[in-house]
């Protein structure tokens, strides 16, 4: 006999509802997760427990799990069960991450975020090369034909969380440390300012979408996990766009936080 669930953990099905039974079960599990009855990293009741509790088939329970997996709320581990997905570990504070004081301390934006999250940062899959600018990048940088592209993947505690490509004008970056694999303390923004391009402001465009097959592979994404696609343009004090950064982040790895002025 399957073990029974604790009283009050989950409710009962509504036989008068026109909502499919598997969706009712998914609704109750989602609600229980939202109320903290199942915490981050905790295992959900097994198929056998839910079959016994609701009096349904295993396939119905599996369909319920599929709904929650598709929402990115839980993940399945083969032979172990279904677990509540941990909340994003990295808090990305937009008004602070590019503060000049961080560059002066020799810290890049990702290092600042990793320190705040208490994690170990790494960068791999690094590629630096000159290439033809695509139409969008060219337009953002002032109709340039060729750019220096810096591609890299960021990891936190060994887990891929972000893939970014920076595009910079060749007349600024060619022959400088920006074109080297390691741009030095403070990253490329520190080097830009050393070259006389004092950073004045940034513009960011953000949208959420489902990942491409390549992004799933690069970021090791589980089924149902979307990505945050961010395009940032950096401007110097003369109003010139000096960098475009195209970034794809795992949505289950980041909290995007913004501080807005009161006036």
């Amino acid at each position: 006999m399957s073990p029974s669930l604790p009283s009050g953990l989950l409710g009962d099905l509504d036989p008068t509802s026109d909502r499919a039974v598997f969706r009712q079960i998914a609704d109750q599990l989602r609600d229980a997760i939202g109320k903290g009855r199942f915490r981050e990293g905790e295992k959900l009741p097994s198929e056998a427990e839910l079959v016994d509790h609701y009096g349904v088939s295993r396939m119905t329970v599996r369909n319920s799990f599929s709904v929650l997996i598709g929402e990115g709320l839980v993940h399945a581990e083969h032979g172990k069960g279904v677990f509540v997905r941990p909340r994003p570990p990295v808090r990305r504070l937009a008004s602070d991450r590019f503060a000049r004081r961080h560059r002066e301390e020799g810290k890049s934006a990702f290092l600042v975020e990793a320190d705040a999250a208490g994690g170990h940062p790494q960068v791999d899959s690094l590629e630096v090369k000159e290439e033809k600018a695509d139409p969008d990048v060219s337009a953002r940088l002032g109709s340039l034909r060729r750019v220096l592209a810096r591609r890299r993947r960021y990891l936190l505690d060994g887990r891929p969380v972000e893939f970014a490509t920076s595009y910079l004008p060749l007349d600024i970056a060619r022959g400088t440390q920006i074109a080297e694999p390691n741009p030095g303390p403070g990253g490329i923004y520190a080097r830009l300012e050393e070259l006389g391009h004092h950073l004045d402001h940034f513009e960011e465009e953000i949208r959420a979408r489902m990942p491409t097959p390549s992004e799933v592979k690069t970021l090791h994404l589980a089924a149902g996990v979307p990505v945050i696609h961010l395009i940032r343009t950096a401007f110097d004090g003369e109003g010139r766009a000096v960098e475009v950064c195209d970034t794809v982040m795992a949505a289950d790895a980041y909290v995007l936080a913004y501080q807005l002025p009161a006036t």
Side-chain angles (χ1 to χ4, degrees):
M1 179 179 292
S2 301
S4 60
L5 297 177
S7 176
L9 186 65
L10 295 171
D12 299 317
L13 299 176
D14 180 0
T16 66
S17 174
D18 59 0
R19 189 163 175 78
V21 169
F22 77 93
R23 294 195 182 278
Q24 289 190 51
I25 296 173
D27 292 343
Q28 292 193 15
L29 289 169
R30 186 190 304 106
D31 183 65
I33 292 170
K35 292 179 178 177
R37 294 174 187 167
F38 301 111
R39 296 183 296 275
E40 295 179 33
E42 187 174 344
K43 182 181 177 181
L44 293 184
S46 67
E47 287 184 7
E49 289 173 319
L50 293 175
V51 164
D52 181 68
H53 178 77
Y54 290 112
V56 297
S57 69
R58 282 184 177 269
M59 183 56 67
T60 298
V61 171
R62 289 171 186 169
N63 287 340
S64 302
F65 284 154
S66 293
V67 170
L68 300 180
I69 291 171
E71 295 174 355
L73 190 61
V74 302
H75 69 279
E77 296 185 15
H78 183 68
K80 294 182 179 180
V82 178
F83 297 81
V84 179
R85 187 179 295 282
R87 292 184 181 181
V90 182
R91 188 168 188 267
R92 186 183 181 107
L93 184 60
S95 62
D96 178 75
R97 64 192 306 265
F98 296 121
R100 182 166 288 103
R101 69 179 186 279
H102 298 315
R103 295 194 291 277
E104 292 173 349
E105 294 171 355
K107 293 182 178 180
S108 65
F110 183 70
L111 184 58
V112 172
E113 293 168 347
D115 286 347
H120 174 64
Q122 292 175 273
V123 179
D124 72 358
S125 303
L126 182 67
E127 178 187 57
V128 184
K129 67 175 184 178
E130 295 183 10
E131 64 185 36
K132 181 180 179 180
D134 70 30
D136 182 67
V137 169
S138 175
R140 292 173 188 269
L141 289 176
S143 301
L144 298 182
R145 296 183 60 186
R146 294 185 64 79
V147 292
L148 178 77
R150 295 183 55 89
R151 294 181 174 86
R152 63 275 189 199
R153 183 174 68 166
Y154 296 99
L155 299 88
L156 187 67
D157 294 331
R159 175 195 172 189
V161 296
E162 177 179 331
F163 185 82
T165 304
S166 287
Y167 301 96
L168 300 105
L170 289 181
D171 67 298
I172 294 176
R174 178 183 279 169
T176 72
Q177 197 170 354
I178 295 173
E180 299 296 323
N182 183 357
I188 61 175
Y189 289 159
R191 304 292 82 75
L192 282 170
E193 295 203 320
E194 289 172 356
L195 292 169
H197 296 278
H198 184 89
L199 298 178
D200 179 75
H201 67 280
F202 302 89
E203 293 180 358
E204 291 189 338
E205 301 170 20
I206 303 172
R207 66 188 179 100
R209 58 172 172 77
M210 297 309 295
T212 65
S214 175
E215 290 164 351
V216 170
K217 182 178 180 181
T218 298
L219 294 175
H220 300 180
L221 298 173
V225 176
V227 293
I228 300 166
H229 186 189
L230 183 151
I231 298 178
R232 180 180 64 254
T233 306
F235 295 87
D236 66 13
E238 301 300 318
R240 180 183 181 183
V242 293
E243 183 233 18
V244 171
C245 187
D246 189 319
T247 303
V248 176
M249 298 173 281
D252 63 345
Y254 279 94
V255 171
L256 297 184
Y258 289 83
Q259 290 183 349
L260 301 176
T263 58

